[in-house]
Amino acid sequence: MTTVDLGRVRLFCTTLGPADAPGLLLVHGWGGDGREWSPHAEALAEAFRVIVPDLRGHGRSEVPTQGNTPAEMAEDLAALIDALGTGPVIAVGHSMGGQVVNLLAVHHPHAVRSVVALDPAHGAHGTEADGVPGRLADYRENGARAAAGFVAGAFSPHAPPGLRTAHERTMLGTPDHVIAQAYAGMYTEPGAVGLRPHSEVYLRRRPQPTLTVWTSQEAAAWERGCLHVPGSRVDHWPGTSHYLHEEQVGRTIRLLRDWAAQAARRSGTERTASS
């Protein structure tokens, strides 16, 4: 565990696994931190160089007064991958972290081998999109307290005991201005990609194979229409909360292992075809 000074920001980061193993980047969501990936990181470190950062403004990383947005977070991760010498990585992100790794893949394709987005913060439409201005106003006025109330409703009855409380506590520990800036960066700032029309444009710009897992059947059906890279797919996990990777840890670990194995087979096929 260490803090890496990237010049633009200091990020707290945990790395596990052999230094020469394929890189696996695990990115948390809005108001979270890298601790939510702890069981996944330990299990996957046997086969991967696992990189688990706290995003800017979150956890033990530096808290800038401005720029706490997914776009800047993606730039931070590109610099982190370069500093650690672990690229190209399989970039995995949950919620806002899913938006971050997709932005990373689009703007720094050399740093990303493939993308896994778990219930990502893109594709908002209908009543969800209509509620964005009101929620942003609430976050600007009440910060983490308002966000913690929103997160409290994001769990299924099957969520492990303590998971809801853990996320409420972590959200409450996130600075108020970070909560508001990150939310605006997801949905309302110029260049934000969280609303469905903007999401469709940027998702089609990803050059890498991508795997997206949704808890919403409607969202899964929508995103399948955005796929164009061979080997990409969209899965639907019904009856699971937004924090699906923590509610179903074993299933998520198997998913990532299987996806990495498929990516390795694709790479081997491509090398054979080009030789």
Side-chain angles (χ1 to χ4, degrees):
M1 300 181 186
T2 187
T3 298
V4 182
D5 189 343
L6 301 172
R8 54 184 289 116
V9 71
R10 294 186 300 277
L11 292 188
F12 181 76
C13 178
T14 300
T15 56
L16 299 86
D20 58 350
L24 181 69
L25 177 70
L26 301 178
V27 183
H28 66 82
W30 181 58
D33 64 34
R35 287 176 293 181
E36 66 193 57
W37 291 108
S38 296
H40 314 79
E42 290 187 3
L44 293 163
E46 296 178 1
F48 298 96
R49 182 63 168 175
V50 182
I51 308 126
V52 188
D54 286 355
L55 296 170
R56 63 164 57 204
H58 293 72
R60 295 179 65 182
S61 287
E62 184 179 356
V63 183
T65 57
Q66 297 293 331
N68 296 287
T69 65
E72 291 299 322
M73 293 167 185
E75 294 301 313
D76 296 342
L77 296 185
L80 178 66
I81 292 166
D82 185 61
L84 297 178
T86 53
V89 300
I90 298 173
V92 183
H94 167 253
S95 193
M96 183 184 74
Q99 194 175 121
V100 172
V101 297
N102 275 312
L103 288 165
L104 175 66
V106 168
H107 295 291
H108 298 276
H110 65 283
V112 178
R113 188 184 309 277
S114 67
V115 172
V116 181
L118 304 175
D119 227 28
H122 62 236
H125 77 119
T127 56
E128 181 185 4
D130 293 342
V132 165
R135 285 192 291 272
L136 178 57
D138 195 11
Y139 301 146
R140 283 175 170 162
E141 181 176 356
N142 298 304
R145 287 172 296 167
F150 180 78
V151 165
F155 296 88
S156 80
H158 310 293
L163 187 59
R164 183 195 312 271
T165 299
H167 276 281
E168 289 184 71
R169 286 173 58 86
T170 305
M171 183 67 82
L172 287 167
T174 306
D176 291 342
H177 73 283
V178 173
I179 294 296
Q181 288 178 21
Y183 191 82
M186 284 189 274
Y187 296 109
T188 66
E189 283 196 354
V193 298
L195 300 181
R196 187 161 292 192
H198 304 299
S199 302
E200 290 176 349
V201 172
Y202 100 95
L203 290 178
R204 291 191 174 105
R205 292 177 58 195
R206 298 175 300 192
Q208 306 90 343
T210 60
L211 167 62
T212 306
V213 182
W214 284 102
T215 59
S216 162
Q217 187 173 17
E218 186 279 333
W222 160 74
E223 187 159 339
R224 289 189 184 104
C226 300
L227 299 180
H228 69 282
V229 177
S232 296
R233 81 172 200 256
V234 177
D235 290 357
H236 171 224
W237 287 7
T240 306
S241 79
H242 178 59
Y243 292 88
L244 67 172
H245 61 306
E246 293 179 276
E247 185 172 315
Q248 299 197 32
V249 172
R251 185 179 183 182
T252 302
I253 291 168
R254 292 191 297 273
L255 179 83
L256 296 179
R257 283 176 174 155
D258 291 346
W259 176 254
Q262 292 172 23
R265 287 195 293 271
R266 283 195 299 269
S267 297
T269 300
E270 291 168 1
R271 286 195 297 271
T272 300
S274 62
S275 61

